[in-house]
Amino acid sequence: MQKKIATLKEEIQIEVQKVFLQENENLRQKLFELKMQFLGKTGKLTDLLKSMKDVAPELRPEMGKYVNELRDYAEKLFAEKERLAREKEMALRYEREKIDITAPAIFQKKGGLHPITLIQNELIAIFTGFGFTVFDSTEFETDYYNFQALNIPEDHPSRDMQDTFFIHKNLLLRSQTSAGQVHVMEQQLPPIKILTTGRVYRSDSDATHSPMFHQMEGLVVDKNITLCDLKGLLDAFAKRMFDCNTKTRLRPSYFPFTEPSVEVDLSCVHCHGKGCKICKNTGWIEILGAGMVNERVLQTCKIDTAKYSGFAFGLGIERIAMIKYGIPDIRLFFENDIRFLKQFNSAKGEK
Ligand code: FA5
């Protein structure tokens, strides 16, 4: 019996040492499992204690003392080793989670707004600063809103100007934000001063034309509105959008929904009117179409033309962005090339 006790003590010591030599992070778990092998319900030491009943009665007190001493020894040993194991585990964890405070910071890549959104936001900021409110209009239109109500009847030749995407005979993707004018005039009484902006669609594709692009429309209807008001507004807009020396000029044009109609040019923002490649040596760049709202359109919307008059203008947002940023090809906006898009958002830390 005594030999058995001595062997068991030795076994406990060897096994505990072995666990420590393994040096892994689950030391405490391993120690616990080992402890159960000796001190658990069916552990070897527990079994030894149980077998005391088989020991001769005269030897039992002495043997009992040895076994109890071994149990106390084992319990203390495991408690001490558990404390050491906890320290070792913590040391390993600190080592693993050590922070090098001198290491260069890792910057998060930031997203940014698309250049078209940036220009759109800038345009909205400028025009709302002039007292305009934004009117949200639909991208799907009926023939009536996109054409008929804008004085473009079914057989009118101006329909040839806009190759339109029809969904079916009477439903189409709007080819111009001018369609929004009619919705506004149906819903609001003058004075009206609104902007409407968003995607428009035309069957058109080259370096300066895209099948989907963005327009912004302005509409003002009030008493005594004249072409001078339009010119003054667009002058102020050009100076804010580009620089304070930018000039505008009006050239006669034709739109069925405005009379008179004009094309508005900007003094070239790159050569300041001297003549360069971008303005094709003319010193001017065309930026938008505009005019006094045709009386027929006002009448269709039940606005009293004896009392009210109005002007409207419509610009291509891509065109403004191309002029402002000097972009030669409209397709760059839609290719989603991150190297191109990144240039418009100088987020710090971007790599
Ligand atoms: C119109 O769309 C008129 N609705 C503008 C208007 C509004 C006139 C109110 C009078 C009163 P236009 O077709 O010229 O006009 O288009 C206006 C601008 O949209 C152009 O100056 C051009 O910058 C841009 N644009 C036209 N087609 C495309 C296209 N396919 N891709 C990109 N931009 C385009």
Side-chain angles (χ1 to χ4, degrees):
M1 183 72 171
Q2 232 174 323
K3 201 169 165 217
K4 237 183 181 176
I5 294 169
T7 315
L8 196 56
K9 186 173 180 181
E10 206 175 327
E11 193 185 338
I12 293 172
Q13 287 167 339
I14 291 170
E15 290 302 319
V16 167
Q17 213 170 4
K18 261 201 221 158
V19 168
F20 264 80
L21 282 174
Q22 283 171 0
E23 243 196 68
N24 71 39
E25 292 177 33
N26 296 320
L27 259 183
R28 280 190 298 154
Q29 177 61 27
K30 289 263 160 68
L31 264 182
F32 176 75
E33 286 162 13
L34 192 61
K35 188 176 166 182
M36 289 303 106
Q37 277 177 35
F38 293 101
L39 292 165
K41 264 189 191 163
T42 55
K44 290 182 181 171
L45 195 46
T46 317
D47 284 351
L48 198 65
L49 275 160
K50 284 180 196 161
S51 70
M52 285 307 296
K53 63 179 184 331
D54 307 325
V55 174
E58 62 279 13
L59 291 175
R60 215 177 280 162
E62 197 190 346
M63 289 303 118
K65 189 176 152 249
Y66 290 145
V67 178
N68 281 334
E69 274 172 10
L70 178 60
R71 189 189 52 199
D72 292 348
Y73 167 80
E75 275 174 352
K76 271 192 198 139
L77 181 74
F78 278 111
E80 170 61 11
K81 294 295 177 190
E82 260 169 40
R83 192 183 60 74
L84 287 175
R86 187 191 302 268
E87 277 175 21
K88 200 165 175 184
E89 273 183 22
M90 287 310 283
L92 275 169
R93 194 169 151 195
Y94 288 149
E95 185 56 36
R96 197 183 52 229
E97 294 176 5
K98 197 163 71 180
I99 296 168
D100 178 2
I101 56 166
T102 63
I106 302 163
F107 288 105
Q108 286 293 330
K109 283 195 175 173
K110 284 186 191 156
L113 293 178
H114 190 278
I116 296 304
T117 310
L118 289 172
I119 294 289
Q120 191 170 19
N121 290 348
E122 201 175 335
L123 290 166
I124 290 175
I126 292 173
F127 282 105
T128 50
F130 294 147
F132 283 77
T133 50
V134 179
F135 179 88
D136 202 12
S137 198
T138 163
E139 281 177 40
F140 281 96
E141 281 295 0
T142 57
D143 186 280
Y144 176 78
Y145 287 101
N146 200 75
F147 294 123
Q148 289 173 49
L150 289 168
N151 195 33
I152 314 172
E154 229 159 89
D155 56 352
H156 196 286
S158 75
R159 284 190 186 216
D160 295 340
M161 283 162 59
Q162 293 149 348
D163 249 343
T164 305
F165 293 113
F166 281 87
I167 307 299
H168 57 68
K169 197 173 178 297
N170 192 31
L171 191 68
L172 50 95
L173 289 169
R174 67 176 172 189
S175 61
Q176 47 183 346
T177 42
S178 300
Q181 282 185 29
V182 184
H183 290 288
V184 177
M185 289 190 278
E186 277 180 355
Q187 291 170 29
Q188 294 178 20
L189 292 168
I192 292 169
K193 198 170 182 183
I194 62 93
L195 285 178
T196 176
T197 177
R199 294 189 194 97
V200 297
Y201 305 83
R202 292 181 192 179
S203 180
D204 217 353
S205 187
D206 59 34
T208 52
H209 296 85
S210 165
M212 185 285 296
F213 62 103
H214 298 76
Q215 278 192 340
M216 177 174 283
E217 185 96 359
L219 171 73
V220 175
V221 181
D222 205 344
K223 287 175 187 155
N224 306 317
I225 297 292
T226 70
L227 206 60
C228 283
D229 297 311
L230 172 68
K231 171 83 166 104
L233 176 83
L234 294 178
D235 250 1
F237 155 68
K239 287 183 171 44
R240 289 206 187 179
M241 189 71 200
F242 299 98
D243 70 65
C244 57
N245 297 315
T246 310
K247 296 185 187 76
T248 58
R249 74 172 184 191
L250 308 185
R251 281 182 293 113
S253 185
Y254 172 71
F255 296 102
F257 35 92
T258 46
E259 181 58 39
S261 301
V262 291
E263 287 294 343
V264 181
D265 295 341
L266 205 66
S267 59
C268 178
V269 293
H270 299 280
C271 65
H272 302 287
K274 288 189 201 93
C276 67
K277 226 167 81 182
I278 290 168
C279 61
K280 299 191 185 96
N281 283 320
T282 61
W284 295 93
I285 301 175
E286 185 184 309
I287 56 156
L288 56 87
M292 297 304 292
V293 181
N294 192 317
E295 286 194 357
R296 285 196 184 183
V297 177
L298 294 174
Q299 282 155 6
T300 303
C301 300
K302 313 230 167 0
I303 288 179
D304 184 354
T305 48
K307 248 167 127 182
Y308 296 107
S309 56
F311 66 71
F313 58 91
L315 55 83
I317 296 181
E318 282 78 1
R319 177 128 185 87
I320 300 289
M322 287 166 87
I323 295 169
K324 184 147 180 160
Y325 297 130
I327 295 164
D329 194 319
I330 197 169
R331 288 166 288 212
L332 287 165
F333 289 121
F334 308 113
E335 280 169 1
N336 285 333
D337 184 334
I338 206 82
R339 293 166 303 178
F340 171 75
L341 298 174
K342 250 166 77 168
Q343 301 174 79
F344 305 94
N345 290 280
S346 50
K348 282 195 186 110
E350 279 234 349
K351 287 189 181 163

